[in-house]
Each structure stands twice: as structure tokens, then as C-alpha cells.
């Protein structure tokens, strides 16, 4: 269960302050996929970076389960980013000199999973997202965009996160390939009970979610 209350984020700027997010409150259940839509600059990525503890809110709280994660120490924030949350980005963000398998193993290495176990789980997750056989040993440069995004989804799932934050995960993909990625994310919500927050500006993609939140000028309007 994710529960966000009064989340506000201001950035200093030349003319004073820019409020990227203003008093945002909502919750999302385990196993629920919620889409976040809104015009460019409305605060979607800012919201995800706060939820991923990549940045700190100006005010407000973020509860994951029954823990208020907005008040964690630096070490606990790093641990949260590694174990509790999985990220999927528009541009895949895989590590270019590691194989698909090694990319998926990496977060488990940070989480101190023994090598044999992380190798087995990475291979299993890659199979699950349709990356099979020798494709698992290829570097990202030798995989298509859709294949790379599948690897990114497997990586996001590696430490069995409570929350997946996906920022325009289909933005660089054709319609059909994008739909497959959304299916995988929705499947993860249903199968593993992960809460998935999906930022998209594509209405068809947004409809795959059980619910849609709309941001305008940093505020939730629906
Ligand atoms: N680090 C920063 N410093 C200053 N302003 C920022 C910073 N990050 C975001 N902003 C501002 O906050 C607002 C929201 O930006 P954000 O990236 O969250 O929008 P978005 O909804 O993700 O847009 P897009 O659909 O184009 O990705 C914008 O006005 C942006 O310029
Ligand atoms: Mg954005």
C-alpha cells in the first residue's frame, strides 16, 4: 500500500521558486496499476522521483506499507531504492558493458543475494519477460529497444519490490511492443502484488491501468 499525503516540491529558480508539485495526496493498493497522466511540465516525473527517494519533498509524507519513507536516513534511502522500489525509464537505462543477465543480477548484488541465487533468479525473470537463450548473454547494444525494455522490467522486479515506478516506459517503442511492456507491468502487479505507477501521455496506455490520476500544473485534478 502506497499512501501519499500533501506532497509538495518547489525548486529554486531565477525568478523565485517553481512549484513542480503542489499538495498531492492519493493512495494505491498492493497489486494495483495506476496511471499518471498530464501535460508536459505538470509534475509527473517530479512525483516519481520523490516516490523513488531520488529527491526530497519540500513537504508532505510518503507511506509505503506502514513506514514513512520520507524521513529515512541516507543509508536507509539507498536501501529503499535498491529493495523496495523498481524503476523503469523511457530510455531503458541498462548498463552497456554488462550482459542482459548481469544487468538483472546487479540490484541483487547490491542487496547481497548470493551469486548462484542471483544468477538463477535473473535467468528466471528474463525467461518470464521473454528474453531467452543466448539473448540473456547479449549486451544491450545487441538487443532491440523492446527487448531492452523487457530486460529493464526484469531488472526492476529483481528484488521483489513493493512499488514499480515507470516513467513513459513505452515512449520509445512502437504501439505493439509498448502494449507488451504494459502487459508485463500489469502482470507483475497481479502476480507479485506490486503497486505499479505508470506515467504516460498515451491515452490507450493509460486505460490499461485500473485507475488514472491527472496532474495539471503540479496539482491532482482527478
Ligand atoms: N531539478 C529541477 N529544477 C528546477 N525545476 C525543475 C526541476 N525538475 C523539474 N522542474 C520543473 O518542474 C516542473 C515539472 O517537471 P516534470 O519533469 O515533473 O514534468 P513532467 O510532467 O514529467 O513533464 P514531461 O511530460 O515533459 O516529462 C517543470 O516546470 C520543470 O521545469
Ligand atoms: Mg517527465
Amino acid at each position: 500500500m502506497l499512501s501519499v499525503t500533501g506532497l509538495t516540491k518547489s525548486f529554486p529558480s531565477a525568478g523565485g521558486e517553481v512549484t513542480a508539485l503542489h499538495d498531492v495526496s492519493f493512495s494505491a493498493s498492493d497489486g494495483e496499476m495506476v496511471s499518471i497522466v498530464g501535460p508536459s511540465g505538470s509534475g509527473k516525473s517530479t512525483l516519481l522521483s520523490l516516490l523513488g527517494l531520488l529527491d526530497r519533498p519540500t513537504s508532505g509524507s510518503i507511506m509505503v506499507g506502514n513506514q514513512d519513507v520520507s524521513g529515512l536516513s541516507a543509508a536507509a534511502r539507498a536501501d529503499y531504492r535498491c529493495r523496495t522500489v523498481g524503476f523503469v525509464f523511457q530510455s531503458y537505462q541498462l548498463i552497456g558493458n554488462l550482459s542482459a543477465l548481469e544487468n538483472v543480477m546487479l540490484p541483487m548484488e547490491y542487496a547481497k543475494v548470493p551469486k548462484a541465487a542471483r544468477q538463477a533468479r535473473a535467468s528466471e525473470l528474463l525467461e518470464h519477460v521473454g528474453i531467452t537463450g543466448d539473448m540473456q548473454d547479449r549486451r544491450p547494444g545487441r538487443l532491440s529497444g523492446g527487448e531492452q525494455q523487457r530486460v529493464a522490467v526484469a531488472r526492476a522486479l529483481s528484488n521483489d519490490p513493493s512499488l514499480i515506478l515507470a516513467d513513459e516506459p513505452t515512449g520509445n517503442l512502437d504501439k505493439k511492443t509498448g502494449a507488451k511492456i504494459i502487459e508485463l507491468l500489469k502482470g507483475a502487479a497481479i502476480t507479485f502484488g506490486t503497486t505499479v505507477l505508470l506515467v504516460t501521455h498515451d491515452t490507450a496506455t493509460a486505460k490499461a491501468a485500473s485507475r488514472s490520476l491527472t496532474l495539471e500544473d503540479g496539482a491532482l485534478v482527478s
Side-chain angles (χ1 to χ4, degrees), residues 21-22 34 37 41 59 66 71 79 105 127 132 135 146 148 163 168 171 174 197 205 217 219:
L21 219 52
H22 180 69
V34 177
V37 298
S59 58
N66 44 27
D79 195 65
M105 286 169 69
E127 291 269 341
T132 56
M135 271 201 285
Q148 289 183 59
L163 183 61
E168 294 277 5
D174 64 70
L197 294 191
T205 303
D217 290 332

Side-chain angles (χ1 to χ4, degrees), residues 66-132:
N66 44 27
Q67 188 180 30
D68 184 350
V69 298
S70 36
L72 295 177
S73 68
R77 289 167 70 83
D79 195 65
Y80 169 93
R81 286 193 294 267
C82 173
R83 294 171 196 264
T84 308
V85 64
F87 296 93
V88 182
F89 301 98
Q90 177 170 354
S91 52
Y92 327 127
Q93 310 263 26
L94 299 174
I95 295 175
N97 61 355
L98 296 182
S99 69
L101 189 77
E102 289 165 340
N103 266 281
V104 180
M105 286 169 69
L106 196 60
M108 292 186 273
E109 190 175 342
Y110 294 140
K112 299 194 168 57
V113 176
K115 187 164 185 193
R118 53 181 199 260
Q119 204 152 15
R121 178 161 169 83
S123 183
E124 202 174 283
L125 281 167
L126 283 169
E127 291 269 341
H128 173 75
V129 299
I131 302 295
T132 56

Side-chain angles (χ1 to χ4, degrees), residues 9-13 18-21 37-49 55 90 167-168 199 201 215 218:
K9 177 70 181 175
S10 304
F11 293 106
S13 83
V18 180
T19 301
L21 219 52
V37 298
S40 182
S42 60
K44 305 180 297 295
S45 297
T46 301
L47 174 61
L48 289 203
S49 72
D55 202 355
Q90 177 170 354
D167 198 347
E168 294 277 5
V199 166
H201 55 226
L215 279 171

